[in-house]
Every structure is written in C-alpha cells, then in structure tokens.
C-alpha cells in the first residue's frame, strides 16, 4: 500500500506541524506537502536534546547498542515504503535504494557492535606513585566521553546512508550524543520515514524522547539556527563547499566555537602510471567510465580527473574512455538544482580555452549524460578553476609531459577524499615518488581500483585536508567516525564510586 507522509517535524517523539508548508519536488509522482522548519522549532529540539543528554549521555554501552539495533530493525520494517518514496523523490533506482538501506542498517549494527566491544573509549590508567620523588604522582584515568547534542545535516546524494539515520547520526548516537537532524529538502518523505523509525526505536527502548529530533528544511534560517544554537556541541555535514563553508564560518564565529565536521567533496584524481597505461590502459579507461557515471556521478568519491603521460597510449586511453562513455544512457539527477549546477559546471569547463571537448552529449531538465574533456598538466597548473568539483558524470583527462610534471601536478592538488594510483611492477619507482605527496593530499590512497564504493569498516577514512573536509583529523565513514563526537576527560584521584559506569 502506498505510504502517505504526515509532513510534520519530529520533535522529541512528537509530530509537530509548522505554520507554513513547502511542496517536495519529486523526480516522479506527485509532490507532498511538508512543514517548513523555523528557528523556534530548532530551539525546542535542541532543548529536548540537552534534557535527554543527562540520561542518554550516561547510559550503558549495551543500552545504546540495543537502541542502534532497534533503529535498524525499525528501518527494515519500513523498507518497502522507504524504497517507494525514496525512488519518487530522488529518481534513484529501487535497487540502489535497497542497497543503500542495507548499508544504512549495516552501519547502525556495526556501531552497536563497536561500542559493545568498548575499545573506542581508549581508556588509560596511570596508577598513583605515592613514593615518587621529588613529588608523588596522583592516580590518573582517562576515557572518551560524549560531547552533548549533535546537529546533523542530511546529505542530498545519499538519502539513507548519509541522511536522517545515516553515518553521522549512527556515530553520534553510538557515542552517547542526542541528535537534531536538519532534513534535506530533496527527500523530505524518505527522511520522515527514517525519522519515524528512530522515534519508534527510542520509545521501544524507553529512552528520553529528546534523544532524536528531525526538523524539515525549507529555509536557510533552519540550518543557521541549528549550528548557532548554544546547546549544540558539534555538527556533521555533507554537501557543497559553499554551503559547508558558510555553516563552518558560523560555527567558528559563535561566542563558544564548536567543531564543524563538513565533508565538502573533491575531484578524486587518478594517476595512471606508464606501464599500467601501456599494459591495460583500455581496461582502466572502461573501468573509469563506469565509476565516473555510477549514480549519475553524484558521489563525493567520483574520480573526475585522470592524469597520464602524453603519447600514443594516452590517445588510445582517451578514445576508449570516449567510446565507453558514449554508451551511457541519461540518468536522473537528485534535484533540479543539481542538474542545473552540473550543466553550468560543464559549460564552464567547455568554455575554458586550452580545454578540448572529447565527448559532448545532450542533457536537459533533470537528466545527466557524461561529458569528457582533456587538457595538459601545464594548462591545468595555470588554471586553478579546473580543480573545482563539477558534481555529476564529468571527466577530465590531463596529459603530463613527463613524470616530473605528474609530480608537480600532485603537489598542486588541493585536499582530496581520495587519490588513486594505477600501477604495475615497473611503475614502482614513480609510485614511490608520488605516494608521499598523495598521502599529504588525501584521506584515502588506493591502488588499481576506483574510489567509488566506500567500505564501512574500522580502517576506512572518508575525509582529508580542506576542502575535502573541514577537519583533516576525522572521517565521516567507518567506526573511527565516532571520535568526532567524543572528547577525552581525565579523572584524577576520583574514588571508584564516582567514575563513569563505562
Ligand atoms: P548544499 O547546498 O550544501 O546543502 C546541504 C544542506 O546544507 C542543506 O540542508 C541546505 O539547506 C544546508 N545549507 C546549505 N547552505 C546553507 C547556508 N548558507 N545556510 C544554512 N543552511 C545551508 O548541498 P546539496 O543541496 O546537497 O547539493 C548542492 C551541491 O552540493 C551539489 O550540486 C554538489 O555540487 C554539492 N554536493 C557535494 C557533495 C559531496 O559529497 N561532495 C554531496 C552533496 C552535494 P537547504 O536545502 O534548506 O538549502
């Protein structure tokens, strides 16, 4: 049976209607009406989150793990309805949404397991040394404690895995932090169903209802009010460089600044080293075309740039990539705004003197088709605008004169989520020269693969130097992402009866 959204905010377990409504703009089907968020509603949610922290922040790891598992179960129970409205709102195929739901519930269950183990607390103990000269040492114990209410901005490009119940929310709840989500207006109905699931789980687990709230968007003042609310202790965000930077600046300008964990994207360059290009350039080109167009190129790890040495093998690579991209059918983009931004980015690259267009297709309305361009490393180095992300299936081949120029290109890169090396045994020496540079540029360096497809695992790093992220010491995917919402506290000479339960 088709699900009809209630269209209300979810504040501390209650459905709250706003005074104004906004219509969703689905890729298919009819729009629904949703309540517009307001600063007053944001304040109500933040106050409830702070009230919840006094119990939730001091709850046992087992209780929180049970909550995370229950959220996963409640999301699964709404699975078909989530897929149906998700497909309408985002235009993503059912199979992608089903897969992304599995990733989302898997992520919640992984965090439940992670906190049950307890290693994340990083507990340390320096026993007292009463006889130490010249001064005795007190007993010192350290462990990580939750920071308080966390604001999460749902990402448009992962309506499940990075939105209302996505990685940021899972990590914050696992840490012991209540969450206030600002829903993304690109998928309010999907967000609402996931919000309903979290609300139901909080009730089933007997938690303070302020542990979770969802304020739908509609206007910029919602996000501004959320990051500047004095009770919010940190922000998790995935989105554009412009929006993320504006919110980051607001966090820094607060009377009491707070960390803003923004993941703002990158161009994810691939370096194709000479022997690998010679031996299997055709396969790499076809693999690149597939990775570049996956999900209409709307992945933060989309490999937008391929760097290789100029010559006949580069010509062959360009020809194979062009042919592979030509066969890709138009794909629906997540929002009209994104489709418009993609076309504008494409036009900007196409109009840049010194850039040749290899593949021009026709995309209109909310559809995207791939574009392929090429230029020289020399030209790219002199034109920094070419290093900016164009969100969508757009590829740029960069021809370097020699290995030194490839290295110069690597040095000139801004912060990236990923950098990829395609290399064979004979490329080892150049790989060894590139790696120390790439390691300083990216959160993840990979070999002989494609960066789309981010494992949710203990060793994953999805972050990197600015502008890939606003905190190079953090990741927004994987169990390490819990660290963002914890801070170390040292307990000196405290009697056992006063130490935290964990
Ligand atoms: P966005 O415009 O940055 O918006 C993300 C969230 O932040 C939304 O909830 C938005 O609210 C809010 N927001 C943005 N600017 C704000 C401001 N100045 N004040 C208060 N709130 C603000 O990102 P998007 O809508 O997801 O996509 C737009 C573009 O971002 C895409 O075309 C793409 O270029 C890029 N993007 C990149 C990635 C990545 O992983 N690299 C992911 C997604 C998008 P409203 O919706 O209410 O405006």
């Amino acid at each position: 049976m088709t699900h009809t959204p209630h269209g209300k905010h979810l504040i501390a377990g209650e459905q709250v209607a706003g005074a104004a409504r906004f219509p969703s703009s689905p890729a298919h089907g009819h729009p629904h009406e949703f309540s517009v968020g307001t600063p007053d509603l944001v304040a109500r949610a933040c106050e409830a989150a702070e009230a919840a922290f006094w119990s939730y922040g001091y709850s046992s790891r087992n209780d929180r793990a049970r909550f995370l598992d229950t959220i996963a179960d409640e999301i699964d129970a709404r699975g078909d309805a989530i897929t149906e409205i998700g497909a309408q709102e985002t235009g993503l195929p059912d199979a992608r949404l089903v897969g992304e739901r599995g990733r989302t519930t898997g992520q919640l269950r992984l965090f439940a397991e992670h906190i049950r183990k307890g290693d994340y607390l990083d507990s340390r103990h320096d026993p007292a040394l009463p006889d130490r000269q010249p001064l005795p040492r007190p007993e010192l114990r350290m462990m990580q404690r939750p920071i308080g209410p966390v604001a999460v901005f749902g990402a448009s490009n992962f309506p499940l895995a990075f939105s209302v119940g996505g990685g940021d929310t899972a990590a914050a709840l696992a840490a012991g932090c209540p969450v206030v989500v600002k829903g993304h207006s690109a998928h309010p109905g999907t967000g609402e169903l996931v919000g309903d699931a979290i609300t139901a789980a909080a009730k089933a687990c007997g938690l303070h209802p302020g542990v979770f709230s969802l304020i739908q968007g509609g206007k910029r003042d919602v996000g501004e009010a959320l990051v500047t609310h004095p009770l919010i202790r940190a922000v998790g965000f995935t989105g554009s460089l412009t929006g993320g930077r504006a919110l980051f600046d607001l966090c820094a300008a607060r009377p009491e600044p707070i960390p803003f964990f923004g993941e703002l994207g990158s161009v994810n360059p691939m370096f194709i080293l000479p022997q690998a290009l010679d031996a299997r350039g055709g396969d790499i080109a076809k693999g690149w075309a597939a990775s570049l167009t996956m999900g209409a190129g709307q992945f933060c790890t989309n490999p937008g740039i391929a760097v290789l040495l100029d010559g006949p093998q580069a010509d062959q690579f360009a020809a194979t990539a062009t042919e592979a991209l030509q066969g890709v059918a138009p794909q629906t983009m997540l929002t009209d705004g994104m489709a418009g931004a993609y076309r504008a980015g494409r036009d900007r690259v196409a109009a840049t003197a010194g850039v040749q267009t290899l593949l021009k297709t026709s995309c209109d309305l909310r559809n995207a088709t791939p574009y392929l361009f090429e230029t020289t490393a020399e030209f790219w180095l002199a034109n920094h605008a070419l290093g900016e992300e164009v969100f969508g299936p757009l590829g740029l081949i960069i021809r370097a004169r020699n290995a030194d120029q490839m290295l110069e290109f690597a040095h000139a890169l801004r912060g990236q989520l990923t950098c990829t090396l395609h290399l064979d045994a004979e490329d080892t020496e150049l790989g060894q020269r590139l790696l120390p540079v790439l390691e300083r540029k990216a959160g993840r360096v990979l070999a002989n693969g494609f960066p789309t497809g981010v494992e949710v695992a203990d060793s994953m790093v999805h972050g990197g130097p600015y502008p890939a992220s606003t905190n190079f010491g953090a990741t927004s995917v994987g169990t390490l992402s819990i660290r963002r919402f914890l801070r170390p506290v040292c307990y000196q000479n405290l009697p056992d009866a006063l130490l935290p339960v964990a």
Side-chain angles (χ1 to χ4, degrees):
M1 203 176 69
T2 299
H3 166 82
T4 306
H6 52 69
K8 296 176 181 154
H9 308 288
L10 294 165
I11 303 180
E14 283 178 39
Q15 293 182 2
V16 179
R21 317 266 290 164
F22 73 93
S24 60
S25 44
H28 321 292
H30 300 294
H32 294 284
E33 295 260 301
F34 292 87
S35 297
V36 174
T38 62
D40 283 353
L41 294 172
V42 168
R44 193 165 142 189
C46 294
E47 280 154 24
E50 174 67 11
F53 185 71
W54 293 108
S55 52
Y56 191 68
Y58 302 86
S59 59
S60 74
R61 290 183 279 120
N62 272 336
D63 284 352
R64 292 202 299 282
R66 194 174 139 240
F67 179 36
L68 294 168
D69 283 338
T70 310
I71 296 173
D73 294 344
E74 292 285 350
I75 290 176
D76 279 339
R78 293 162 175 77
D80 290 345
I82 289 174
T83 304
E84 186 187 16
I85 198 158
Q88 287 168 6
E89 290 186 328
T90 64
L92 292 171
D94 286 9
R96 151 78 195 266
L97 287 160
V98 171
E100 197 181 317
R101 176 158 53 85
R103 179 188 162 124
T104 309
T105 52
Q107 201 159 246
L108 287 156
R109 294 185 176 113
L110 179 73
F111 270 111
E113 245 350 272
H114 186 60
I115 58 171
R116 276 192 189 103
K117 283 191 265 171
D119 308 354
Y120 79 98
L121 293 168
D122 193 14
S123 307
R124 295 161 191 225
H125 181 204
D126 294 305
L129 299 174
D131 301 327
R132 191 180 70 173
Q133 293 299 328
L135 288 173
R137 182 173 79 180
E139 179 178 66
L140 301 169
R141 288 174 191 271
M142 189 290 288
M143 79 172 195
Q144 302 284 343
R145 297 291 298 141
I147 55 172
V150 165
V152 169
F153 284 72
S156 56
N157 59 338
F158 279 91
L160 299 170
F162 269 97
S163 194
V164 176
D168 289 341
T169 300
L173 292 178
C177 300
V179 169
V180 180
V181 177
K182 190 257 169 201
H184 199 290
S185 34
H187 54 259
T190 316
E192 175 188 297
L193 272 171
V194 175
D196 286 342
I198 303 175
T199 303
K203 195 169 175 198
C205 294
L207 300 174
H208 187 296
V211 71
F212 171 80
S213 293
L214 164 65
I215 308 290
Q216 297 285 12
K219 280 168 61 195
R220 283 282 145 97
D221 59 359
V222 181
E224 289 166 4
L226 187 53
V227 303
T228 53
H229 195 282
L231 293 172
I232 291 295
R233 312 312 307 159
V235 182
F237 173 95
T238 299
S240 68
L241 182 55
T242 320
R245 183 62 202 235
L247 294 167
F248 171 89
D249 288 344
L250 283 176
C251 286
R254 288 167 48 125
E256 188 186 354
I258 53 167
F260 177 85
F261 297 100
E263 195 259 88
L264 314 180
S266 61
V267 292
N268 305 295
M270 297 193 320
F271 292 78
I272 306 165
L273 304 200
Q275 187 56 39
L277 180 63
D278 194 29
R280 50 196 174 84
D283 287 344
I284 299 171
K286 286 180 204 156
W288 183 41
S291 179
L292 191 65
T293 53
M294 191 185 282
Q298 301 168 114
F299 287 131
C300 29
T301 49
N302 201 35
I305 283 183
V307 195
L308 32 67
L309 296 192
D310 201 2
Q313 280 90 353
D315 298 343
Q316 190 53 48
F317 179 90
T320 311
T322 306
E323 197 186 323
L325 288 169
Q326 236 154 12
V328 177
Q331 290 168 283
T332 311
M333 292 200 80
L334 290 161
T335 64
D336 295 337
M338 280 192 187
Y342 173 60
R343 285 195 287 271
R346 169 206 71 185
D347 293 346
R348 175 173 55 77
V349 177
T352 311
V355 173
Q356 283 77 47
T357 302
L358 297 183
L359 175 67
K360 193 155 94 177
T361 48
S362 61
C363 58
D364 57 5
L365 305 170
R366 202 154 147 177
N367 291 325
T369 45
Y371 275 73
L372 185 61
F373 299 95
E374 75 168 13
T375 189
T376 61
E378 204 147 27
F379 188 79
W380 189 92
L381 285 163
N383 290 275
H384 289 287
L386 286 176
E388 285 166 21
E389 180 184 26
V390 177
F391 204 62
L394 183 145
L396 177 62
I397 294 173
I398 304 213
R399 294 175 183 245
R401 221 179 17 248
N402 51 34
D404 285 347
Q405 200 177 46
M406 204 180 242
L407 211 68
E408 195 187 339
F409 174 90
H411 274 286
L413 284 170
R414 301 173 82 194
Q416 303 290 332
L417 291 169
T418 69
C419 285
T420 301
L421 287 167
H422 286 278
L423 77 175
D424 281 353
E426 294 84 342
D427 296 314
T428 302
E429 199 192 321
L430 179 53
Q432 284 169 336
R433 289 175 69 198
L434 280 164
L435 186 65
V437 185
L438 302 186
E439 211 180 67
R440 291 189 66 185
K441 301 290 178 180
R444 178 162 58 111
V445 181
L446 58 151
N448 297 329
F450 297 94
T452 38
V454 183
E455 277 298 320
V456 182
D458 290 336
S459 316
M460 178 49 68
V461 175
H462 189 66
Y466 188 83
S469 81
T470 52
N471 291 71
F472 54 64
T475 171
S476 59
V477 177
T479 52
L480 194 61
S481 66
I482 196 172
R483 282 278 179 95
R484 296 173 298 168
F485 307 124
L486 296 165
R487 68 183 181 85
V489 177
C490 173
Y491 302 93
Q492 182 171 332
N493 281 343
L494 252 70
D496 283 359
L498 265 66
L499 288 170
V501 180

